[in-house]
Amino acid sequence: MSDLLANLNPEQLQAVTLPPQHALILAGAGSGKTRVLTTRIAWLVQTGQVDPQGVLAVTFTNKAAKELLARLSGMLPLSFGHSARGMWIGTFHGLCNRLLRAHHRDAGLPQLFQILDSGDQLAAIKRLLKALNVDDEKFPPRELQHFINAQKEAGLRPHAVEAWDDYTRRRVELFAEYEAQCQRESVVDFAELLLRTYELLERNEPIRRHYQRRFRHILVDEFQDTNRLQYRWLKLLADDGREGGACLFCVGDDDQSIYRFRGAEVGNMRDFEREFHVANVIRLEQNYRSHGNILDAANAIIRHNTARLGKNLWTERGAGEPIRVFEAYADMDEARWIMEEIQSLVRDGMSRSDIALLYRSNAQSRVLEHQLFSAGIAYRVYGGLRFFERQEIKHALAYLRLIANPDDDTAFSRVVNFPTRGIGARSLEALQDAARTWNSSLYSTVPHLSGKPGTVLAQFVRLVEDLRRDTARLPLPELVDHVLDASGLRDFYRSEKEGQERLENLDELINAAANFLGESGADVEALAQPHALLADFLAHASLEAGDHQADAGSDAVQLMTVHSSKGLEFDAVFLSGLEEGLFPHENSAVENEGLEEERRLMYVAVTRARERLYLSFAQSRMLHGQTRYNLRSRFLEEIPEGLVKWLSPPSPRSMGARSGAGMRVEPARGGFAPRASQAPARSQDLGGLRVGQLVTHAKFGQGVIVAAEGSGADARVQINFGSAGIKWLMLAVAKLSPA
DNA sequence: GTGACCGGTTTTTTT
DNA sequence: AACCGGTCAC
């Protein structure tokens, strides 16, 4: 016990040992949030305040859930008499899946319902629109998908949606059709997992009471990322003063809320505090990660946001190195500079994997990769396709899904003609029409068809039936193996010229099945029912798409977006592309509170660094095939100059450098640079000025030359003055000086 | 059924 | 620039 609480700082200790009441922990970046969460659980269990089965811990990602469980298992060794066994630890979606499997009847679902990931959902919607003959120009599938998910996240079924115009009325009809289709096919999308569970708990009093009594303590990680429905879900299980229920222990950081665009509702923090009369709000502000200069910069930046719950990070470590800022002439120069700095850090003994290269958008990684690659520096890019999202894996899973549930039309459509077996569009159209008249799934409609479509489709049905029969007694990995062969997938990729990697991935799927089997702790009884286990495996595949990229272990520089860096930390962090329009992103200007979210993103980026932080931007940048001239990011101006060390750009052509002297410049705020309306002229006489250069105008302040035309006395330049607008000025008239 | 071509798009991402 | 999705010709 004393071990458990040793070395906690006073705020952490207070949070960990709070009495059983609702609590909100405002945990700043690097303040030991996970430690508080795990120690709180361990403390509650070890002091006998709660049985392990009375604990429910909710996270957003599988990774976080795994980490929580791993650290908890270390704190609650079996020998102590208590263990993490019996606790429910998982993601919102994983827990909902568990609840819906357990109460599938009450939730109106078959036991072996399957889960659609976003891609499956989109495919299902496209299929629906086609079947209903809906013009997908008027109702773009993606937009409809977004609409449906938004309604579900607001807790609304079609009948409850208020539609004031024809367009929305039609979308609501399609929403209803989509629901009918999902129900018919026994599939459930991500939002549905949450909404179904919510409705189950809300409507079924015995079940709700059961879980309210069972869970005494609910702990929520990354609470600032919860959406409306997740918050309401928590409210149903928690003690709101009427039905008993659990204590909520919510840990989060409003300053790190960066997922508004996918439904996260920071307001949940305030609502929680108010609706649950939270008396215990604890701020964890001591940071154990970064040096002082880095924290001071982060604090200074985030202070520009309004409507914060308020927090200020501090550290006992020293100020450390200044923050290095570099202005490059072009994106390539920026990338080269970063590459050279990395080389120098590595020479000084830093390992590559302790260095991160962050950017606002994925498109920026290309230039950076190019430089690293040509310099022979090992790097690893996060993002991109994940294991269970790969085409070949999706195909294999579709066969497996058909074994578990032949009515899954999404799976059916995906592989009915893959590998090709002469089932063309005509046959499928005939099948779809028939399925509509018989109101049954594609699979079960096949026997009703005659003629050529009937024959070829019957063969496919026979294939699936053979698969089901032949795998009925096989252990899961062998089942998968058999399906890969019998479906023809292996043969297909063997004959593909670039199929080697795909074949390896298919083999990896067998491994994944074996691992799943091992981790599931399936007993003899479960092993005797491979197809039930298969359904579990499929749910696992949908809920956990796998790591972004394997290849870990190697000592490589880490490249990723600022978003994906959340939760990680590195000795050295390079943040590139600090330009208006890029970061803050131009789209954020028109979004409600978009700029504040961008600033939180900046805050997240800065607080990733332990020792060294490098910020850089370029005067010109290739984007979408065109050169853009951007002003430097306002976020740079928000960092106190005393924390910063400006580095001279290598190019003598660059005149924008303010080396050494700190940042005494007029901040050019607001507005974004447009695309250059004209390519930079090579031999124009612009009186020593050039496109891309930063200049100062007596009245408009600082701006970037975006374009030029004419020469000599007729020369005109277009300048982006940020908030003062974009103007064409006669060089002979306007008094411009290099900034 | 496949490959060539055109046109529109292009922030961030988990489940 | 690069990628996706759709269409068209073979």
Side-chain angles (χ1 to χ4, degrees):
Chain A
M1 174 70 57
S2 51
D3 266 8
L4 196 60
L5 302 180
N7 300 323
L8 293 176
N9 70 36
E11 293 76 29
Q12 292 174 331
L13 182 66
Q14 196 193 352
V16 165
T17 59
L18 278 174
Q21 297 162 355
H22 301 310
L24 177 61
I25 313 300
L26 297 176
S31 64
K33 171 196 74 164
T34 309
R35 180 154 188 231
V36 165
L37 216 43
T38 48
T39 315
R40 166 78 173 170
I41 296 173
W43 180 77
L44 287 170
V45 171
Q46 284 193 6
T47 53
Q49 297 184 64
V50 67
D51 284 337
Q53 54 269 26
V55 173
L56 173 65
V58 200
T59 64
F60 270 85
T61 63
N62 293 296
K63 195 178 154 200
K66 275 185 202 147
E67 190 189 343
L68 214 55
L69 184 59
R71 288 173 65 165
L72 212 42
S73 304
M75 294 172 127
L76 288 173
L78 281 164
S79 58
F80 198 87
H82 302 289
S83 79
R85 279 184 56 189
M87 292 181 191
W88 279 31
I89 299 176
T91 63
F92 277 102
H93 294 84
L95 296 166
C96 287
N97 177 48
R98 190 167 173 179
L99 282 162
L100 290 178
R101 301 273 170 200
H103 305 285
H104 65 270
R105 238 173 251 282
D106 295 299
L109 288 169
Q111 184 175 14
L112 296 187
F113 69 85
Q114 299 194 14
I115 300 169
L116 301 184
D117 68 20
S118 326
D120 298 331
Q121 186 188 28
L122 185 64
I125 289 172
K126 284 180 178 167
R127 197 155 40 75
L128 178 79
L129 294 182
K130 194 162 247 171
L132 296 178
N133 258 322
V134 176
D135 182 0
D136 58 6
E137 304 253 299
K138 275 170 91 176
F139 297 90
R142 278 185 185 285
E143 198 274 335
L144 193 58
Q145 178 182 29
H146 187 257
F147 173 79
I148 290 172
N149 290 338
Q151 304 313 314
K152 290 190 183 186
E153 279 172 19
L156 299 173
R157 292 294 180 187
H159 66 84
V161 180
E162 290 188 9
W164 302 107
D165 55 288
D166 286 347
Y167 180 60
T168 306
R169 263 189 287 280
R170 185 69 180 127
R171 287 194 299 179
V172 172
E173 282 171 27
L174 293 170
F175 178 15
E177 292 280 358
Y178 169 76
E179 287 201 319
Q181 175 178 291
C182 288
Q183 194 65 28
R184 202 161 52 231
E185 299 173 7
S186 301
V187 295
V188 162
D189 62 47
F190 285 139
E192 185 72 24
L193 279 174
L194 281 158
L195 182 53
R196 270 296 163 123
T197 313
Y198 174 79
E199 289 171 344
L200 171 73
L201 292 172
E202 187 192 33
R203 291 170 192 171
N204 193 314
E205 190 176 329
I207 292 179
R208 181 175 69 245
R209 290 279 165 120
H210 170 79
Y211 287 103
Q212 282 174 338
R213 269 194 289 269
R214 173 184 172 145
F215 297 125
R216 304 316 305 154
H217 289 273
I218 301 179
L219 302 96
V220 189
D221 189 22
E222 305 279 18
F223 185 62
Q224 78 283 351
D225 287 340
T226 49
N227 66 31
R228 283 174 65 186
L229 187 55
Q230 286 159 341
Y231 178 55
R232 288 171 60 185
W233 188 97
L234 290 168
K235 275 172 82 171
L236 273 184
L237 289 174
D239 175 17
D240 61 354
R242 282 176 294 166
E243 293 184 325
C247 291
L248 276 175
F249 186 88
C250 298
V251 182
D253 183 357
D254 53 323
D255 291 332
Q256 292 189 70
S257 163
I258 55 172
Y259 286 116
R260 220 178 111 94
F261 69 91
R262 66 174 197 215
E265 188 64 60
V266 215
N268 285 344
M269 298 184 87
R270 275 235 153 85
D271 289 350
F272 170 57
E273 199 180 337
R274 195 186 63 242
E275 294 175 3
F276 285 82
H277 312 289
V278 177
N280 306 297
V281 179
I282 293 177
R283 289 176 164 71
L284 303 179
E285 299 177 293
Q286 182 173 2
N287 174 292
Y288 296 93
R289 179 184 296 157
S290 313
H291 277 139
N293 284 340
I294 293 168
L295 291 186
D296 289 349
N299 286 329
I301 291 164
I302 202 66
R303 212 171 295 138
H304 287 81
N305 272 4
T306 56
R308 297 173 58 216
L309 295 175
K311 233 179 330 75
N312 211 42
L313 298 177
W314 61 276
T315 180
E316 283 177 351
R317 303 177 71 180
E321 298 277 323
I323 294 162
R324 276 128 166 122
V325 180
F326 180 75
E327 172 175 21
Y329 176 63
D331 47 0
M332 278 123 70
D333 305 310
E334 181 192 32
R336 191 179 313 117
W337 172 75
I338 290 173
M339 178 269 286
E340 285 164 2
E341 287 293 326
I342 288 175
Q343 280 181 327
S344 131
L345 287 175
V346 171
R347 262 199 306 278
D348 291 347
M350 194 177 284
S351 67
R352 280 179 285 275
S353 55
D354 284 327
I355 302 172
L357 229 161
L358 310 183
Y359 34 81
R360 175 64 178 84
S361 67
N362 285 304
Q364 290 166 249
S365 77
R366 187 173 297 273
V367 208
L368 301 166
E369 282 184 70
H370 178 75
Q371 281 297 334
L372 293 175
F373 185 82
S374 49
I377 300 174
Y379 66 90
R380 174 186 171 199
V381 189
Y382 284 73
L385 267 199
R386 303 187 312 170
F387 182 71
F388 284 108
E389 291 166 352
R390 288 166 192 279
Q391 182 210 115
E392 62 275 21
I393 300 300
K394 279 275 178 194
H395 282 134
L397 290 176
Y399 281 102
L400 296 173
R401 278 163 60 166
L402 283 177
I403 291 176
N405 168 21
D407 295 332
D408 185 336
D409 285 359
T410 302
F412 184 97
S413 309
R414 182 166 194 114
V415 291
V416 63
N417 196 34
F418 190 96
T420 50
R421 37 178 80 89
I423 301 176
R426 289 176 314 285
S427 300
L428 286 181
E429 235 161 79
L431 178 63
Q432 261 143 15
D433 288 348
R436 269 212 102 57
T437 26
W438 292 84
N439 192 29
S440 60
S441 70
L442 296 174
Y443 190 90
S444 54
T445 302
V446 170
H448 299 305
L449 285 186
S450 56
K452 190 205 162 206
T455 322
V456 284
L457 283 163
Q459 276 171 19
F460 177 69
V461 166
R462 204 165 311 124
L463 168 67
V464 175
E465 269 159 17
D466 287 349
L467 287 176
R468 183 174 314 114
R469 189 196 59 225
D470 296 342
T471 58
R473 312 214 159 274
L474 291 181
L476 191 55
E478 287 167 44
L479 186 159
V480 175
D481 193 23
H482 177 84
V483 167
L484 294 181
D485 278 328
S487 64
L489 276 180
R490 271 223 178 89
D491 282 339
F492 177 84
Y493 287 116
R494 252 197 285 271
S495 60
E496 279 261 289
K497 44 188 180 300
E498 316 237 326
Q500 191 49 40
E501 195 185 335
R502 298 198 192 271
L503 280 172
E504 287 165 16
N505 286 331
L506 289 176
D507 283 338
E508 193 53 40
L509 183 63
I510 303 177
N511 286 339
N515 289 338
F516 176 78
L517 190 60
E519 283 171 23
S520 72
D523 49 20
V524 182
E525 207 174 311
L527 288 173
Q529 300 195 356
H531 289 170
L533 211 53
L534 173 61
D536 288 347
F537 177 60
L538 291 169
H540 165 82
S542 300
L543 289 172
E544 189 168 352
D547 282 337
H548 257 302
Q549 253 170 53
D551 193 41
S554 66
D555 182 21
V557 175
Q558 319 270 302
L559 272 70
M560 66 190 84
T561 62
V562 179
H563 277 94
S564 27
S565 76
K566 193 174 148 212
L568 305 176
E569 56 181 88
F570 308 90
D571 286 343
V573 167
F574 290 82
L575 179 56
S576 66
L578 276 166
E579 294 143 41
E580 287 291 300
L582 214 65
F583 196 8
H585 195 277
E586 51 199 340
N587 293 0
S588 73
V590 293
E591 285 163 19
N592 214 4
E593 293 166 50
L595 183 61
E596 297 225 338
E597 176 129 332
E598 293 290 306
R599 192 174 281 112
R600 290 193 289 267
L601 203 47
M602 178 72 185
Y603 176 78
V604 167
V606 167
T607 52
R608 296 311 96 196
R610 294 193 195 105
E611 285 155 24
R612 284 181 179 250
L613 179 61
Y614 298 82
L615 309 175
S616 58
F617 61 102
Q619 295 171 11
S620 77
R621 177 177 299 276
M622 195 64 141
L623 198 64
H624 307 325
Q626 273 181 302
T627 307
R628 293 171 47 131
Y629 301 92
N630 296 319
L631 293 168
R632 70 184 185 209
S633 172
R634 71 193 70 193
F635 298 147
L636 277 171
E637 325 290 339
E638 293 175 1
I639 302 175
E641 58 184 274
L643 305 174
V644 168
K645 179 175 172 188
W646 281 80
L647 305 177
S648 301
S651 161
R653 299 167 70 197
S654 175
M655 331 233 324
R658 286 151 297 274
S659 49
M663 306 190 302
R664 207 49 325 204
V665 287
E666 296 306 311
R669 306 217 160 167
F672 296 110
R675 289 170 185 196
S677 55
Q678 193 181 325
R682 257 175 246 277
S683 57
Q684 271 175 329
D685 173 16
L686 297 173
L689 300 176
R690 60 179 173 73
V691 172
Q693 184 171 344
L694 206 58
V695 292
T696 305
H697 182 272
K699 184 166 160 220
F700 302 126
Q702 203 169 54
V704 188
I705 302 182
V706 166
E709 61 179 34
S711 63
D714 293 330
R716 301 199 311 145
V717 289
Q718 191 184 30
I719 301 177
N720 177 7
F721 288 107
S723 53
I726 298 154
K727 315 205 182 292
W728 279 102
L729 299 174
M730 295 290 294
L731 263 189
V733 180
K735 291 198 181 70
L736 294 173
S737 53

